Amino acid sequence: QVQLVESGGGLVQAGGSLRLSCAASGLTFSRYVMGWFRQAPGKEREFVAAVYWSRSIYYADSVKGRFTISRDNAKNTVYLQMNSLKPEDTAVYYCAAGPNIATAANDYGSWGQGTQVTVSS
């Protein structure tokens, strides 16, 4: 049974930083694309970033230059370093695992429970 557990969310002032982590179990981690999505109240879940191997990394335009996704296959963990945070980054952030690099949530079969990120102005 695949399990994804996010951590690291919290409340931060605009311009601050947070680092999210997602620990995975129940899958051959290195074989999966790992993605981060977010969902703000009243909005659809949106793609943030995804990583397969080090040269297969993709970001949403809204976070390019501010967020960095990385993974540690030895620890079965994917990270999202978020810098220069803005109030519009406020959302529940979800970790997801899928077979291919994709930006659509439907292409990811396994999801974590989410972690809240709140950016105050």
Side-chain angles (χ1 to χ4, degrees):
Q1 181 180 356
V2 177
Q3 189 171 16
L4 304 175
V5 180
E6 302 98 333
S7 61
L11 173 64
V12 64
Q13 288 188 332
S17 298
L18 282 174
R19 188 193 195 204
L20 305 183
S21 299
C22 172
S25 61
L27 76 169
T28 305
F29 183 75
S30 62
R31 294 182 181 177
Y32 282 80
V33 172
M34 299 303 297
W36 286 97
F37 288 75
R38 65 187 181 186
Q39 188 166 18
K43 295 188 176 182
E44 292 188 355
R45 192 167 296 190
E46 66 172 0
F47 172 78
V48 174
V51 59
Y52 185 39
W53 294 104
S54 60
R55 293 186 179 182
S56 295
I57 296 178
Y58 296 87
Y59 295 100
D61 288 344
S62 58
V63 306
K64 276 182 184 177
R66 300 188 298 122
F67 291 11
T68 301
I69 189 171
S70 63
R71 64 191 295 164
D72 186 337
N73 289 342
K75 295 182 178 180
N76 285 6
T77 301
V78 61
Y79 305 96
L80 186 68
Q81 176 67 44
M82 305 185 295
N83 299 328
S84 302
L85 282 161
K86 305 175 181 180
E88 51 264 44
D89 294 319
T90 295
V92 177
Y93 282 71
Y94 296 91
C95 172
N100 300 299
I101 283 282
T103 60
N106 288 342
D107 289 324
Y108 291 80
S110 300
W111 292 84
Q113 82 290 348
T115 185
Q116 177 71 47
V117 171
T118 303
V119 184
S120 63
S121 57

